[in-house]
Amino acid sequence: MKNQPYKIHRAAVIGAGVMGAAIAAQLANAGIPVLLLDIVLPDNPDRNFLARQGVQRALKARPAAFMDASRAGLIEVGNLEDDLKKLKDADWILEAIIEKLDAKRDLWERVEKVAKPGAIISSNSSGIPMHLQIEGRSEDFQRRFVGAHFFNPPRYLHLLEVIPTPKTAPEVLTAFSEFGEKTLGKGIVIANDVPGFVANRIGVYGIMRAMAHLKKSGLTPAEADQLTGPVLGRANSATFRTADLSGLDIISHVASDLGKATPEDEDFTLTPAFRTLVEEKKFLGDKTGSGFYKKTKGPDGKTKILNLNLHTFEYEDQGKVKVAAVEAVKGRPLAERIRSLYGAEGKEGDFLRGVMNDGFWYASKMAGHVSDRLQDIDNALKWGFGWEQGPFETMDTVGVQQVISNLEAEGRTLPPLLQAMKDSGRASFYQGNETVTPAGQPTPYQAPYFILTDLKKDATSVIKKKPGASLVDLGDGVLLVEWHAKMNALGEDQLRMIQEGHKAVQQLGYAGLVIGNQGENFSAGANLPLVLAQAQADEWDELDDQIKQFQQVTTSLRFSPHPTVAAPFGLALGGGCEFSLHADRIVASAETYMGLVEVGVGLIPGGGGTKEMLMRFTDQQQPGQQQGAALLPAVQRAFELIGTAKVSTSALEARKLGFLHDHDVVVMNKNHLLEEAKRQVLALAADYVQPTPRTDIPVMGDAAIGAVKSALYGMKEGGYVTEYDLVVSNELARVLSGGVGNNRTAKVSEQHLLDLEREAFLTLLGKKGTQKRIEHMLKTGKPLRN
């Protein structure tokens, strides 16, 4: 065909319900223009009402469906009566309508008449087999059809199950999978066209079995969630909180459908307690306000979480639930926690071992049925349910032969995969660059993206290592400074490793440096406990030296003789933001939450962040507006951004706020972040010229301080700021003004602004109000308004 290889530049979504509108929003997030269609409501003068309502719902959604509200402008609304012909412009058409086979077949008949010959066609159905939907369609239509099952909310859940039918052309499957991964930022799992596909088939089974074991164990749902949540490397919502979030009626419906559609009715049978909750009590989870948990307000007005008693079906205040087996392994590495919990004694161990063994057995049984690759099953559970390890990876952690022995001791018949593993004596499913097929035969394994831990298995790739940071050779002449402390809080290890990185680049002839990692977050900022302890011990000379060093390291990213690229993702707060701002280029994950948040703990940015935002905003002023009173909008913009601790809700918003330049890069799939950062270093290195610090930064002096103080007075009178907010804000204003005594036409150097930052930081740190704010933040995780 002339228009192969099926490039997708425009899309259409049919069905503007919760899922369809959210998928349209994710397409818009990725910069893809999308047509959103729905039916016409009788007697409604707005024939596009449902589609328009879908966009409005997505705009109001929390968590936000759009990375930036302006992206909603990429969605064109319409209806299936007047606008069906517009489908001819779409390169990809997705349906997200009612889950009824006849309705989908009728839709595809209409779509085939207007869709262009090269368009890829998809269904987002979670329950209706793909091959049944396209019966009666032309051979060409069937070749271009592939299932695309998103998980809700599509912006945040990484998984996209791609389901080919026997008729799907291989080139369509390849092109669409690449589009889903690189353009939409999804983790692609190739699923077989069977009931439940991969994640729901195994995930819902796990919930059903957890309910069954809960009944036998005598544990409460809250205790069970303690055992099956973060301690096991799984989502905070664990098992029963996840059920509440999903809706107990939805889980009941899915389990019932899976039981009917598979020969596994017993595996998906609801327990009597679950049936009572759904059918009699109508406790359906968050949507009804009560499920396994219930939110209520105590006499003090604070929200309390009550736990369901499954014997009485009454809600009880059980206080903070603690489980001995969980408390015993807190703070230990994941692998140690899993092995310890799997072997735990008593009812807690019996419950968890039963749940885990059921999961191991069922995942092994489903290998080759729901998917032909073990890694797809692992990834489906990781990306769709928030697990750190999939079932086969977890079996490797526990010990495959140990799991097999335990299953046989329970009297189970081993699935073919586990029988083959037993016969071969193989110790794990993943060994180096090899895994096994569902039949247990060795096969080459390649991760779907660059994995830093795999690279570091080659000891020669790690140039230097400290407890909190490493220097890693990424290949092709690029070095990576990897931070790997808790929350990547910034301390001596992180700073020294950047200095070591600069030396290595120059001494060993590398092209440049990337600052990044593949942890949970880029960096949550400074090491607050250490800073507070030093302040309370009056170690002011040491603190002054440390802030100087911090400033020297952040600015070294800008003024080194080689290019530096920061690769932020997740939280990039405080110092993490400042490091990014000083790099030659930022390659940010679309889901980057960046901000200078120091005022929340009674400080101002001390690593060049205040200086950097003032420079950026003054540079954006027109040439004739870069002196005197004309500078005030730039100063006010920097003051508002820093003074309100504004954090971006995405990389797109970070660009609007000024944290990202136009030349900085946004990557939809964070798994490709380090690869893109490496490419950017190499591109910059070709003709890199070392920058020099600026000495021509225009400031307003006392005039800026006066303007800011006037505004603050009004805010204080209106009750918008507290007494101590004024203290912090005045120090911020002094830095942004260039210092007291400067006149309206003064120009200062970067070093001058850095010196002002350091002085303000130390001044505030010495005040009791700031120390109280830090203590409160460390204790509660929330800012203190003192």
Side-chain angles (χ1 to χ4, degrees):
M1 287 184 181
K2 290 182 180 179
N3 53 357
Q4 283 188 359
Y6 300 102
K7 293 293 185 183
I8 298 174
H9 302 289
R10 301 183 66 86
V13 175
I14 303 173
V18 171
M19 201 65 187
I23 293 170
Q26 183 64 5
L27 281 158
N29 289 335
I32 301 293
V34 55
L35 174 67
L36 181 61
L37 303 179
D38 211 312
I39 61 172
V40 176
L41 286 180
D43 303 323
N44 192 317
D46 182 359
R47 294 174 66 80
N48 300 334
F49 174 78
L50 289 178
R52 202 182 315 279
Q53 184 186 55
V55 174
Q56 291 302 311
R57 186 190 308 112
L59 281 166
K60 295 175 183 176
R62 293 293 178 270
F66 288 100
M67 294 178 181
D68 188 297
S70 66
R71 287 296 169 110
L74 287 171
I75 301 178
E76 177 188 357
V77 298
N79 66 78
L80 286 166
E81 293 182 19
D82 303 326
D83 303 305
L84 193 68
K85 59 184 179 296
K86 292 182 179 180
L87 295 178
K88 65 180 176 55
D89 298 322
D91 304 306
W92 177 44
I93 301 169
L94 172 80
E95 71 80 17
I97 66 170
I98 190 170
E99 287 286 82
K100 290 186 178 180
L101 179 58
D102 288 345
K104 294 182 188 294
R105 283 178 170 171
D106 289 344
L107 176 64
W108 294 138
E109 182 178 3
R110 297 177 66 191
V111 167
E112 185 172 15
K113 293 174 182 177
V114 295
K116 67 181 180 182
I120 296 175
I121 315 294
S122 297
S123 170
N124 182 58
S125 174
S126 61
I128 298 177
M130 300 298 165
H131 66 278
L132 294 181
Q133 296 187 39
I134 55 174
E135 286 182 354
R137 303 275 56 79
S138 70
E139 191 72 21
D140 178 61
F141 186 95
Q142 293 185 8
R143 281 174 53 81
R144 292 183 285 114
F145 187 92
V146 60
H149 182 219
F150 289 81
F151 277 64
N152 194 31
R155 173 182 167 184
Y156 300 97
L157 285 186
H158 192 53
L159 178 61
L160 172 57
E161 291 179 322
V162 177
I163 308 107
T165 75
K167 298 290 184 69
T168 303
E171 59 269 26
V172 169
L173 178 62
T174 298
F176 182 71
S177 297
E178 183 174 318
F179 170 76
E181 180 185 15
K182 294 183 178 178
T183 303
L184 296 184
K186 295 291 136 193
I188 304 299
V189 162
I190 306 300
N192 292 335
D193 193 10
V194 297
F197 309 131
V198 182
N200 281 341
R201 181 73 169 265
I202 295 174
V204 173
Y205 169 86
I207 292 174
M208 293 299 99
R209 297 309 303 155
M211 277 294 298
H213 286 289
L214 184 71
K215 180 182 177 183
K216 291 188 290 184
S217 70
L219 296 173
T220 67
E223 290 170 332
D225 275 351
Q226 287 284 308
L227 288 160
T228 59
V231 71
L232 208 62
R234 299 184 183 179
N236 286 329
S237 54
T239 301
F240 298 102
R241 178 74 186 116
T242 295
D244 275 1
L245 291 169
S246 302
L248 305 193
D249 54 334
I250 300 298
I251 290 176
S252 173
H253 177 71
V254 173
S256 177
D257 284 352
L258 286 171
K260 293 173 185 175
T262 68
E264 304 160 358
D265 186 51
E266 290 185 8
D267 293 330
F268 292 99
T269 299
L270 302 176
T271 64
F274 201 106
R275 286 188 181 281
T276 298
L277 285 176
V278 174
E279 297 170 9
E280 295 180 27
K281 299 291 185 180
K282 306 297 182 185
F283 293 170
L284 305 182
D286 278 20
K287 67 175 71 176
T288 60
S290 56
F292 289 104
Y293 301 94
K294 181 178 182 178
K295 285 184 181 178
T296 187
K297 291 210 173 190
D300 57 0
K302 293 183 178 179
T303 300
K304 298 182 73 173
I305 305 295
L306 302 181
N307 302 331
L308 181 69
N309 182 320
L310 283 172
H311 299 290
T312 65
F313 291 98
E314 299 291 332
Y315 289 95
E316 302 172 350
D317 183 358
Q318 297 175 1
K320 189 168 183 179
V321 175
K322 290 192 175 183
V323 174
V326 173
E327 295 298 312
V329 298
K330 274 189 174 177
R332 290 160 61 180
L334 177 61
E336 290 183 22
R337 300 199 306 266
I338 289 174
R339 285 192 286 267
S340 177
L341 289 167
Y342 186 73
E345 300 287 339
K347 64 180 183 180
E348 297 166 359
D350 290 343
F351 166 79
L352 191 55
R353 205 160 28 253
V355 171
M356 293 176 72
N357 282 343
D358 279 349
F360 295 153
W361 177 82
Y362 193 69
S364 301
K365 179 183 173 184
M366 288 296 103
H369 180 63
V370 296
S371 180
D372 296 328
R373 301 189 307 177
L374 269 58
Q375 59 265 39
D376 275 338
I377 294 176
D378 276 341
N379 287 335
L381 275 298
K382 289 193 290 185
W383 297 337
F385 284 84
W387 295 12
E388 288 185 48
Q389 292 186 346
F392 298 108
E393 292 168 323
T394 306
M395 277 190 268
D396 278 1
T397 297
V398 171
V400 174
Q401 296 302 325
Q402 178 64 55
V403 170
I404 290 171
S405 296
N406 287 353
L407 292 175
E408 288 186 318
E410 293 177 2
R412 296 176 188 253
T413 301
L414 296 178
L417 170 59
L418 292 184
Q419 186 62 54
M421 294 292 283
K422 178 184 177 182
D423 294 343
S424 69
R426 187 179 171 104
S428 58
F429 293 104
Y430 298 98
Q431 293 180 4
N433 295 321
E434 184 182 83
T435 184
V436 296
T437 67
Q441 298 301 309
T443 185
Y445 169 71
Q446 184 174 1
Y449 52 85
F450 169 76
I451 298 177
L452 190 54
T453 52
D454 287 350
L455 175 66
K456 290 164 63 179
K457 288 175 183 176
D458 178 0
T460 62
S461 70
V462 181
I463 309 299
K464 291 184 180 295
K465 184 174 183 180
K466 291 179 178 292
S470 297
L471 189 61
V472 183
D473 188 339
L474 289 178
D476 300 318
V478 178
L479 284 178
L480 168 73
V481 173
E482 178 200 11
W483 297 332
H484 42 67
K486 183 178 181 181
M487 295 295 287
N488 284 326
L490 299 173
E492 184 177 357
D493 282 358
Q494 289 73 31
L495 301 185
R496 288 199 179 277
M497 197 56 70
I498 289 178
Q499 294 171 318
E500 293 289 343
H502 287 314
K503 289 178 187 176
V505 169
Q506 294 304 305
Q507 293 174 0
L508 303 177
Y510 282 86
L513 202 60
V514 171
I515 314 298
N517 64 83
Q518 288 184 333
E520 289 186 21
N521 295 287
F522 179 70
S523 173
N527 187 334
L528 280 179
L530 177 61
V531 170
L532 178 63
Q534 289 179 291
Q536 292 177 335
D538 290 328
E539 297 176 357
W540 297 109
D541 289 340
E542 292 88 343
L543 279 165
D544 188 39
D545 288 341
Q546 287 170 13
I547 300 168
K548 282 181 183 177
Q549 183 194 25
F550 189 84
Q551 291 179 339
Q552 288 166 359
V553 176
T554 57
T555 55
S556 75
L557 298 184
R558 173 76 43 78
F559 304 120
S560 65
H562 48 261
T564 60
V565 173
F569 64 94
L571 297 180
L573 304 177
C577 179
E578 289 176 300
F579 271 106
S580 300
L581 294 175
H582 284 88
D584 290 302
R585 186 154 296 172
I586 296 175
V587 176
S589 165
E591 298 295 348
T592 297
Y593 316 119
M594 182 177 283
L596 297 167
V597 296
E598 287 84 352
V599 297
V601 289
L603 296 167
I604 71 162
T610 309
K611 174 265 302 181
E612 188 66 24
M613 300 319 297
L614 178 65
M615 285 171 50
R616 290 186 179 206
F617 296 152
T618 55
D619 286 349
Q620 290 173 15
Q621 297 285 92
Q622 296 298 319
Q625 297 177 325
Q626 291 185 339
Q627 62 179 8
L631 279 174
L632 187 57
V635 174
Q636 289 173 325
R637 186 177 173 193
F639 181 84
E640 182 180 351
L641 182 73
I642 299 169
T644 60
K646 179 69 175 177
V647 176
S648 71
T649 58
S650 70
L652 300 185
E653 190 184 22
R655 196 189 298 280
K656 290 180 71 172
L657 292 174
F659 295 130
L660 269 61
H661 284 301
D662 289 342
H663 62 244
D664 292 328
V665 179
V666 174
V667 175
M668 288 295 289
N669 192 331
K670 81 169 187 177
N671 293 328
H672 297 294
L673 204 57
L674 294 184
E675 294 171 271
E676 181 58 33
K678 174 180 167 181
R679 278 193 288 271
Q680 292 294 325
V681 166
L682 294 172
L684 289 168
D687 54 0
Y688 189 75
V689 177
Q690 181 176 357
T692 55
R694 288 177 54 180
T695 58
D696 62 343
I697 305 163
V699 294
M700 288 183 64
D702 291 344
I705 295 178
V708 170
K709 282 189 173 181
S710 176
L712 286 171
Y713 177 79
M715 294 175 70
K716 176 67 171 62
E717 290 299 301
Y720 297 108
V721 296
T722 67
E723 286 289 347
Y724 201 70
D725 287 335
L726 290 179
V727 174
V728 178
S729 295
N730 283 328
E731 289 295 326
L732 175 59
R734 192 166 66 85
V735 178
L736 291 172
S737 74
V740 175
N742 279 316
N743 61 44
R744 288 171 175 266
T745 59
K747 291 189 177 181
V748 299
S749 67
E750 291 190 52
Q751 187 57 54
H752 176 76
L753 292 175
L754 287 170
D755 291 342
L756 289 176
E757 275 192 29
R758 188 174 71 257
E759 181 183 333
F761 188 96
L762 289 169
T763 297
L764 289 169
L765 188 56
K767 294 182 180 296
K768 292 298 183 185
T770 289
Q771 293 180 17
K772 285 181 179 179
R773 284 193 175 190
I774 296 174
E775 288 172 344
H776 190 269
M777 178 64 75
L778 292 173
K779 183 177 180 180
T780 68
K782 298 177 181 179
L784 172 67
R785 298 298 308 279
N786 56 341

